[in-house]
Amino acid sequence: MTPQRSDDGFLEKGFEGLSHNFVTGTLEELVKWARARSVMPATFGLACCAIEMMASGAGRYDLARFGMEVFRASPRQADLMIVAGRVSQKMAPVLRQIYDQMMEPKWVISMGVCASSGGMFNNYALVQGVDQVVPVDVYAPGCPPGPQTLMHAILTLHAQIRSGELTKRREATGGGAGIHIDQLDGQGDTGAVKLLQPTAKD
């Protein structure tokens, strides 16, 4: 059956033009679910935080269980930028160019205090917060944050993608969600850390 043209119909606005019913509601939820479980990070490490980011993808923490074990070398194949480390003024235009080349919808995690606020480097050479260059969705604290904190940031981002709020906010304001999370590394056997604990023994 061909959809009829109307002022707010399917032909003008796509799925947004349809009133949600069983079929379209389920399809929208399926798209959100697939987006959250097929996030492809860009290979973009800048400083010591990048070592912790690489450790997150190794066998001990196993990002593969979240469907994002492949770090893409091309920004055109990635939809998540993890800014891992301090951003210099010379690197800022490169970071923005890579972000612009990434496919939509795309998200950003600011990893560590240097990326989030400049950290201990309060000088003219470094950007005092990567949110001056790209819209940040999740801030992961620490110097450097360990794999547990990064994975906590990733799971927080997954939940936001699944809810659909990030896509709506980006369309409305052009900015990121700016979610601040707690650092989980070194806090003992708490519930959140237990969730992210590796399955293999040393």
Side-chain angles (χ1 to χ4, degrees):
M1 179 176 172
T2 305
Q4 298 297 315
R5 182 178 294 274
S6 63
D7 291 340
D8 58 349
F10 176 80
L11 294 179
E12 286 79 19
K13 297 185 178 180
F15 286 115
E16 294 177 6
L18 289 175
S19 58
H20 287 295
N21 57 32
F22 175 77
V23 175
T24 60
T26 305
L27 179 60
E28 185 180 22
E29 290 301 315
L30 180 63
V31 169
K32 291 180 201 172
W33 178 87
R35 279 179 180 165
R37 280 157 180 78
S38 61
V39 175
M40 296 294 174
T43 305
F44 196 75
L46 294 169
C48 44
C49 286
I51 303 299
E52 300 295 332
M53 180 175 67
M54 286 185 268
S56 303
R60 179 171 173 81
Y61 292 95
D62 193 20
L63 276 176
R65 57 190 160 149
F66 304 120
M68 52 182 299
E69 70 274 17
V70 181
F71 281 75
R72 298 294 179 176
S74 169
R76 291 175 178 84
Q77 298 174 352
D79 57 2
L80 170 62
M81 174 181 281
I82 302 174
V83 183
R86 57 190 181 270
V87 181
S88 67
Q89 296 288 354
K90 291 176 102 174
M91 183 57 74
V94 178
L95 183 141
R96 182 66 201 199
Q97 182 179 17
I98 291 173
Y99 176 80
D100 289 339
Q101 290 176 348
M102 289 167 58
M103 59 183 174
E104 292 283 355
K106 52 194 170 188
W107 301 280
V108 177
I109 292 177
S110 177
M111 183 179 178
V113 294
C114 291
S116 299
S117 65
M120 67 185 88
F121 304 103
N122 186 12
N123 58 44
Y124 66 92
L126 295 179
V127 176
Q128 302 301 301
V130 74
D131 52 2
Q132 299 177 16
V133 184
V134 293
V136 176
D137 296 303
V138 182
Y139 293 92
C143 183
Q148 291 173 336
T149 301
L150 177 58
M151 291 172 75
H152 178 38
I154 289 170
L155 292 177
T156 303
L157 181 66
H158 283 184
Q160 292 295 312
I161 295 171
R162 180 77 188 271
S163 71
E165 290 300 317
L166 283 184
T167 311
K168 293 176 185 173
R169 184 182 290 111
R170 190 65 56 85
E171 289 174 355
T173 66
I179 300 169
H180 296 264
I181 63 167
D182 295 326
Q183 185 174 3
L184 296 184
D185 311 299
Q187 292 186 359
D189 200 16
T190 61
V193 174
K194 191 181 282 188
L195 170 70
L196 298 174
Q197 289 231 322
T199 53
K201 298 286 185 183
D202 286 333

